[in-house]
Amino acid sequence: MTRIIIAGPRGKMGSEAIQLVNSTESFELVACIDRKNDGKTMRDVESLPDLDVPIYESVEECFQQIHADIFIDLTVPETGYIHTKAALKNHVRPVVGTSGFTTKQIEELTEVAKSEKVGGLIAPNFAVGAVLMMQFAQTASKYFPDVEIIEKHHDQKLDAPSGTAIKTAELISSVRSYKEQGHEAEKETLAGARGANSDGMRIHSLRLPGLVAHQEVIFGSSGQTLTIKHDSYNRESFMAGIKLAIEEVMKLDKLVYGLENILE
Ligand code: NAP
């Protein structure tokens, strides 16, 4: 039985992850981290399932009192970083869906995992289709150096651009010949009109109610465009990736960034 702690249980992703854990025979939910319900059990909180699972505010206290194999973080980057570091130091393998970590934070966590010899995974996108979209975009950018990324999310998302857009741009940059796109005399008459500049390519972030998580990578060349598009219509789309991550991190002894690195 894989013993699991979830941080952010009242959130949209957290509540979906609880369902995943509860519906998987080999998984057991043993505690939650929730800053608003310290000392209660899940059953005492109206929006949580009727389970006799303890809730902690302090991740350290939780790790001292509860034995667990896996720590799932679905909160916000500032707190998620502290949680993930504590999980690694307490040898509870982190599976992190929280997006918005800085490169420096990911490097620091990778070092902690290395010195503690603990496996873990941080994935800005757990949807398998999104991982394929990123890989296809990376391949296409070898032939089409002119590319713009449009990512679209619900209006409650805190970070922009999305972790997926940043990751896509990084993958493209690793194979694309550098190019500062657009006209050299281009001028924004309204600041931000051309989006964020990532290594010469542009990233545009849309935030609207009704959306979940969507991204288009549009390539242009003379007389043609190529669009690679992925849509997550609900948060169930991320759960197969989280399930796979829980199973795979049990075999790792280092921190891996990106779901693509554990697929296959
Ligand atoms: P959400 O509905 O806003 O849930 C966030 C949860 O975190 C809430 O329960 C919130 O509780 C808690 N939280 C906020 N600030 C906190 C803090 N300082 N300390 C402890 N808990 C805190 O957001 P969501 O849509 O579930 O997304 C959660 C994270 O997953 C985000 O970073 C999002 O970008 C990411 N995400 C990742 C994927 C992926 O595939 N990797 C997919 C979708 C979303 P309160 O009520 O106390 O604020």
Side-chain angles (χ1 to χ4, degrees), residues 48-79:
L48 294 179
D50 185 17
L51 295 170
D52 192 23
V53 168
I55 300 175
Y56 294 82
E57 179 180 3
S58 157
V59 77
E60 289 289 354
E61 192 188 339
C62 178
F63 291 144
Q64 274 156 29
Q65 296 190 7
I66 304 284
H67 161 72
D69 305 296
I70 298 282
F71 171 75
I72 301 180
D73 196 88
L74 297 161
T75 61
V76 291
E78 302 75 27
T79 312

Side-chain angles (χ1 to χ4, degrees), residues 8-14 34-36 74-77 79 83 97-99 123-127 154 157 159 235 238:
R10 286 175 293 108
K12 293 180 283 295
M13 284 291 282
D34 179 350
R35 60 178 172 170
K36 293 188 182 147
L74 297 161
T75 61
V76 291
T79 312
H83 286 170
T98 303
S99 63
N125 203 319
F126 275 111
H154 59 90
K157 185 167 177 60
D159 52 317
R235 286 165 185 84
F238 306 114

Side-chain angles (χ1 to χ4, degrees), residues 47-255:
S47 58
L48 294 179
D50 185 17
L51 295 170
D52 192 23
V53 168
I55 300 175
Y56 294 82
E57 179 180 3
S58 157
V59 77
E60 289 289 354
E61 192 188 339
C62 178
F63 291 144
Q64 274 156 29
Q65 296 190 7
I66 304 284
H67 161 72
D69 305 296
I70 298 282
F71 171 75
I72 301 180
D73 196 88
L74 297 161
T75 61
V76 291
E78 302 75 27
T79 312
Y81 170 72
I82 296 165
H83 286 170
T84 306
K85 199 170 186 174
L88 289 167
K89 293 209 164 201
N90 285 277
H91 291 213
V92 183
R93 292 153 192 271
V95 170
V96 181
T98 303
S99 63
F101 287 179
T102 62
T103 307
K104 189 162 174 273
Q105 285 176 324
I106 293 166
E107 282 168 5
E108 279 171 15
L109 292 170
T110 305
E111 273 309 305
V112 177
K114 195 175 164 191
S115 63
E116 298 288 336
K117 296 189 178 56
V118 181
L121 178 86
I122 300 176
N125 203 319
F126 275 111
V128 174
V131 171
L132 293 174
M133 174 262 296
M134 288 188 258
Q135 289 178 347
F136 297 157
Q138 186 185 33
T139 302
S141 64
K142 286 184 205 159
Y143 310 98
F144 294 88
D146 286 270
V147 50
E148 305 227 353
I149 298 170
I150 304 175
E151 58 96 342
K152 305 179 237 178
H153 282 82
H154 59 90
D155 60 349
Q156 299 305 301
K157 185 167 177 60
L158 297 177
D159 52 317
S162 68
T164 304
I166 292 171
K167 178 87 185 168
T168 309
E170 285 170 2
L171 288 170
I172 290 174
S173 285
S174 69
V175 295
R176 161 187 181 259
S177 336
Y178 178 79
K179 180 167 188 187
E180 196 66 39
Q181 287 176 208
H183 197 286
E184 58 186 24
E186 181 180 271
K187 217 182 267 168
E188 285 183 335
T189 52
L190 193 58
R194 289 288 290 117
N197 187 334
S198 173
D199 210 21
M201 70 191 109
R202 300 290 170 157
I203 304 178
H204 311 268
S205 297
L206 274 65
R207 296 291 176 264
L208 288 169
L211 293 172
V212 177
H214 316 260
Q215 182 167 293
E216 284 173 48
V217 186
I218 308 175
F219 297 89
S221 172
S222 42
Q224 59 180 325
T225 62
L226 168 67
T227 302
I228 299 169
K229 185 168 179 280
H230 176 260
D231 297 278
S232 274
Y233 296 109
N234 60 39
R235 286 165 185 84
E236 241 184 287
S237 62
F238 306 114
M239 294 305 131
I242 292 188
K243 183 168 186 275
L244 178 73
I246 293 169
E247 288 156 358
E248 291 299 311
V249 296
M250 294 304 293
K251 304 173 203 159
L252 295 175
D253 60 358
K254 61 178 183 176
L255 188 69

